[in-house]
Amino acid sequence: MNMILNEDTKRAITRIEEVLPAENLHADEPMSRHTSFRIGGPAALFAVVQNEEELAAVLRVCNEENAEHMLIGNGSNLLVSDEGYPGIAIKLGGEFESIDVVSGDALKRVNIDIDEDCEALVCVGAARLMSSVSAFLTEQGLSGFEFASGIPGSIGGAVFMNAGAYGGEIKDLAESVRVMFGPGEVKELSNEEMQFGYRSSRAQKGDMIILSALLRLRKDEPANISARVSELATKRNAKQPVNFPSAGSTFKRPVGGYAAALIEEAGLKGYRAGGAAVSEKHSGFVINEGGATCEDVLAVMRHVRECVYEKSGIMLEPEVRLINCEL
């Protein structure tokens, strides 16, 4: 690894190696293995935590040593520098992948009323993949999540950015969210307290880690739910470049317009830099056509922003999270 680590990070790594099992720690782990872009240099340490106790322990070490660290989900919205990440990447696993239809007793503990004939609440761990959540809910005959069935990534990431598609957003389903503010400081926040907005939530302020979400859903026949999921999958596959690595929509939707339309109007569909390109199929996506580097993607994004601004006066803002790199 060519990256020079500061002493704080070195001390933190040594201490974390004493806290977590060796099989869950990976030094100089290529982030390209953990992002949907398939791009990114090595993280100084990649640590997988299996429960809240392990997460609290790792966070405590990072805070005490003032070591750079970040939590990642499925990496479906990340663009990581070619040089990598000079800190500790923390990924949730184990208990954070759970999913359960909540019982009446549990509902009483969180003071939530529910109509047993029409609705149900499901508690989903932050590491559970959206595709897996969709399959579970379909089997259980619980509707409302169909819009999210094809969104890549985990529930934690979806809550973090208030992911949405086809007219639905996570905020429409989230009854409450369990979060960790500091090592061991766990709270249940209401939908309102999460401060959801367009592709945003309170979690983006950096003061919390999402542990799980309580989703409110409506009962329906599994066959009906499955049919809706299939219909949306057909639409998505027809319009989006699902056969290429990407981070989904590269830019946020600007006020009064759509990023994809502005990019296409600027004549940028198919624009390339190295192995990265504006998708011919959907101009809102920057894709990895093969061997793209972080700098290739950034070059495309910069050119797109400049051209769109010159033509429309609108400065597009990235929806993808930039790690150890900038536009």
Side-chain angles (χ1 to χ4, degrees), residues 109-179:
R109 288 200 297 273
V110 293
N111 298 316
I112 295 175
D113 295 324
I114 191 165
D115 184 339
E116 293 291 349
D117 294 328
C118 300
E119 296 185 324
L121 289 176
V122 176
C123 185
V124 187
R128 189 83 176 205
L129 295 182
M130 303 279 273
S131 56
S132 176
V133 175
S134 176
F136 176 87
L137 296 177
T138 299
E139 182 180 309
Q140 295 293 317
L142 297 175
S143 175
F145 196 80
E146 289 90 328
F147 74 88
S149 58
I151 298 176
S154 62
I155 281 290
V159 172
F160 180 89
M161 67 174 294
N162 186 27
Y166 300 108
E169 293 179 305
I170 289 296
K171 72 175 179 62
D172 302 330
L173 305 178
E175 188 73 31
S176 63
V177 179
R178 183 177 171 86
V179 304

Side-chain angles (χ1 to χ4, degrees), residues 34-91:
H34 304 282
T35 64
S36 57
F37 250 137
R38 299 293 179 258
I39 291 171
L45 182 69
F46 189 87
V48 182
V49 295
Q50 303 291 327
N51 51 54
E52 292 181 10
E53 291 73 23
E54 288 188 352
L55 174 60
V58 171
L59 291 177
R60 188 173 296 110
V61 169
C62 291
N63 291 345
E64 290 175 355
E65 299 295 351
N66 195 32
E68 185 173 355
H69 60 284
M70 68 172 177
L71 192 84
I72 71 165
N74 200 44
S76 58
N77 197 38
L78 301 181
L79 177 62
V80 181
S81 163
D82 298 318
E83 284 70 40
Y85 177 65
I88 298 153
I90 306 167
K91 185 176 177 64

Side-chain angles (χ1 to χ4, degrees), residues 163-202:
Y166 300 108
E169 293 179 305
I170 289 296
K171 72 175 179 62
D172 302 330
L173 305 178
E175 188 73 31
S176 63
V177 179
R178 183 177 171 86
V179 304
M180 183 178 290
F181 280 99
E185 184 186 352
V186 176
K187 293 184 179 179
E188 192 90 14
L189 299 185
S190 67
N191 183 294
E192 183 178 357
E193 289 172 319
M194 283 299 298
Q195 300 172 11
F196 289 115
Y198 174 69
R199 299 298 177 266
S200 67
S201 73
R202 179 177 168 182

Side-chain angles (χ1 to χ4, degrees), residues 23-36:
E23 61 266 24
N24 292 335
L25 297 174
H26 309 277
D28 299 341
E29 176 72 3
M31 291 302 292
S32 57
R33 297 176 181 172
H34 304 282
T35 64
S36 57

